[in-house]
Every structure is written in C-alpha cells, then in structure tokens.
Amino acid sequence: MTAIEQTEAARPRGTRLPRRARRNQLLGAAQEVFVAQGYHSAAMDDIAERAGVSKPVLYQHFPGKLELYLALLDQHCEALLQAVRTALASTTDNKLRVEATMDAYFAYVEDEGGAFRLVFESDLTNEPAVRERVDRVSLQCAEAISDVIAEDTGLSKDESMLLAVGLGGVSQVVARYWLSSESAIPRDKAVALLTSLAWRGIAGFPLHPTDGQLSAEGH
C-alpha cells in the first residue's frame, strides 16, 4: 500500500493510529498537497486538513514544513534508487538491462502519485538540503549504472561515470517529456525506442563480444 493509499484508508478524523501508520498517512497527505501546489504554496493547514488531523498532531510528527518535505523527498529518492538497482540486477543480458533501467525511470514518473515532481521538478532546489538530496540520488543512480558499464566494457571509472550520467539523464528527461506531452506512444514502445537509441551507442564499447555482452554486433 502506497503512502497515498494509506492516507485514503486512514483519513477519517479522530481515528487513532500507531505512530508509524500515522506518519505514513501524513506523508501521503503531504505528497498530494506538495505535488498539487508546490512547496511554497502549500501550507501545513492544508496538509493537516488533507490528512484529516489537527495541526498539533501534524507538528507532533514533523516540526515544520521543510522537515516534512525532506522526509518525503528522502522516501522517494530511495524509491528511485532501488528501482534502478533492481532493474540493473534483473538480468545479465546487457541490452535487456538497458531496457529495464530505462523502464524504471518511465515507471517512476508514471506513478499516479506524481512523486517524481518532488525529485525532478521541485520548486525548492535553492534550499541546500533539497539540492543535496536531489544531486545525491542522481549520483547514486549514475554510480550503479557506471559499475555495470565499467565491468562489461573495461572503460575507466571516469569514462563509465560520464556515460552513466548521460544514460540516467536522458532516461528521466525523456520519461518526463513523454508523460507531460500525453504522448500517444505506449510506454513499452517509448522505452523500446529509447533503448534502441542508447544501445546503439553503448554497444560500441565492447570488452567481451559475446551474446549478452556490450558488443557492436549486439544491436
């Protein structure tokens, strides 16, 4: 059950919930408000009302709006990182690995809760604590991709990281464009097109030209 689903299930005012369940409920309500209004326009009153609790209850769990936003950002940055790591570990066939990683970004931005907007489209990136978290998750995703590239191509750490940053950046930018443009292209087709583009480039760095490895013949 997602945080937003927990919010829906636990919204009636006056319901007593275990502390962890209440925290998850408040995070779900905060996500809805922050995604809809942005950080600067959102108010703690709005979040408390959305959660069906009094403002003092909200402050018992989060001392301020920034702390609430950062807790939510931590949750969704971790979700993105785990999605990328899971995709990379899902197969040893590198073309399928590229496809799975691209799809992880598309799935992340397509999630109906809109949490990707907090990570990639935040109106609070001038806040150092927010910028640090966004930069860190982008770096961690790139490092996970870079490790696979280095292992399978023999490229240096710096070279592999450069390619990994490019793959991650292209994935999230294209996925966000695909979503915002309300493209008629189905997600699987969009992922396949982007994979084809990426694979034609990354396959040009062979180390072991065998099936499933990064080889120029493996298009």
Side-chain angles (χ1 to χ4, degrees):
M1 182 179 287
T2 66
I4 286 180
E5 287 170 339
Q6 287 172 321
T7 302
E8 295 295 339
R11 185 164 286 145
R13 190 178 295 273
T15 303
R16 267 196 156 324
L17 292 175
R19 183 170 182 81
R20 181 179 293 275
R22 178 66 76 192
R23 178 184 170 85
N24 287 337
Q25 178 209 8
L26 296 174
L27 287 171
Q31 180 177 326
E32 293 175 351
V33 173
F34 284 135
V35 168
Q37 301 181 22
Y39 177 84
H40 294 294
S41 296
M44 292 293 269
D45 284 330
D46 299 330
I47 295 168
E49 181 178 355
R50 183 66 178 159
V53 301
S54 64
K55 202 155 79 167
V57 168
L58 180 57
Y59 279 112
Q60 285 174 11
H61 293 264
F62 301 99
K65 186 168 73 166
L66 179 59
E67 288 78 10
L68 178 52
Y69 191 87
L70 293 176
L72 199 55
L73 190 59
D74 284 339
Q75 182 184 81
H76 292 297
C77 283
E78 180 63 22
L80 174 61
L81 179 59
Q82 289 306 314
V84 169
R85 286 175 171 168
T86 298
L88 291 168
S90 65
T91 177
T92 57
D93 182 301
N94 285 312
K95 186 173 183 180
L96 294 179
R97 207 179 245 160
V98 171
E99 183 176 29
T101 303
M102 298 289 185
D103 190 59
Y105 281 93
F106 274 74
Y108 186 73
V109 303
E110 194 182 25
D111 183 84
E112 65 181 16
F116 80 93
R117 299 189 188 281
L118 306 179
V119 180
F120 296 131
E121 300 176 1
S122 174
D123 61 347
L124 196 61
T125 51
N126 60 332
E127 166 61 44
V130 172
R131 184 74 260 162
E132 187 274 331
R133 284 163 168 80
V134 173
D135 288 345
R136 184 174 66 216
V137 73
S138 296
L139 181 64
Q140 288 174 324
C141 288
E143 286 173 341
I145 297 169
S146 174
D147 288 344
V148 175
I149 292 175
E151 178 182 349
D152 290 328
T153 65
L155 292 173
S156 71
K157 180 178 180 180
D158 288 343
E159 291 169 328
S160 298
M161 191 64 180
L162 190 69
L163 292 175
V165 169
L167 286 172
V170 166
S171 299
Q172 62 99 348
V173 169
V174 174
R176 286 164 51 209
Y177 167 78
W178 170 80
L179 185 71
S180 66
S181 66
E182 299 182 346
S183 174
I185 302 172
R187 178 174 129 195
D188 59 347
K189 177 64 173 176
V191 170
L193 285 169
L194 191 57
T195 298
S196 180
L197 174 65
W199 182 248
R200 286 179 182 275
I202 198 69
F205 300 96
L207 177 62
H208 304 297
T210 58
D211 291 344
Q213 296 293 334
L214 295 171
S215 67
E217 293 77 21
H219 299 302

